[in-house]
């Protein structure tokens, strides 16, 4: 004998003021539709002139870091020390991944 499917209770719309207040309290004070997600760029461009410039030219930033990742085929570049240099190294490594290694054409 097969099991009978359980019947769902009908959903009653929350129309009374008390029902809406109870739902808002249950949701921690939140009610209504959520706000749309903010579109953020994963990496903001550096405002410093010369950050990310090819290392074939002069160093425009006094403390610039020379970033070159061997084996990637990416050119060496000058970056600001710290965050920009780390992002530059990561970008060079990612750009150096051959397309066939990712399974994409």
């Amino acid at each position: 004998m097969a099991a009978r499917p359980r019947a769902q209770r009908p959903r009653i719309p929350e129309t009374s003021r008390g029902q809406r207040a109870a739902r808002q309290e249950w949701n921690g004070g939140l009610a209504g539709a959520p706000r749309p997600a903010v579109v953020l760029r994963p990496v903001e461009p550096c405002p410093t002139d010369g950050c990310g410039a090819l290392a074939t030219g002069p160093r425009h930033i006094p403390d610039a870091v020379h970033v070159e990742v061997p084996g990637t085929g990416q050119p060496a570049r000058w970056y600001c020390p710290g965050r920009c240099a780390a992002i530059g190294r990561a970008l060079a490594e990612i750009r150096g991944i051959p397309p066939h290694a990712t399974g994409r054409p």
Side-chain angles (χ1 to χ4, degrees):
M1 185 164 153
R4 289 182 7 186
R6 293 180 59 176
Q8 292 285 327
R9 288 188 341 188
R11 298 243 178 219
I12 301 172
E14 297 174 356
T15 56
S16 73
R17 188 178 309 158
Q19 288 173 326
R20 287 191 303 259
R23 183 179 66 189
Q24 186 174 9
E25 184 177 337
W26 173 261
N27 290 331
L30 304 175
R35 286 184 277 176
V38 178
V39 178
L40 297 175
R41 297 177 66 179
V43 178
E44 290 295 323
C46 180
T48 306
D49 288 335
C51 184
L54 291 175
T56 57
R59 181 177 6 177
H60 298 287
I61 307 165
D63 299 351
V65 177
H66 184 263
V67 174
E68 182 175 10
V69 182
T72 61
Q74 295 297 310
R77 295 180 180 272
W78 294 112
Y79 287 101
C80 296
R83 181 176 181 269
C84 289
I87 290 171
R89 176 173 292 284
L91 286 173
E93 290 174 356
I94 290 170
R95 290 176 182 148
I97 298 172
H100 61 80
T102 61
R104 289 190 237 159

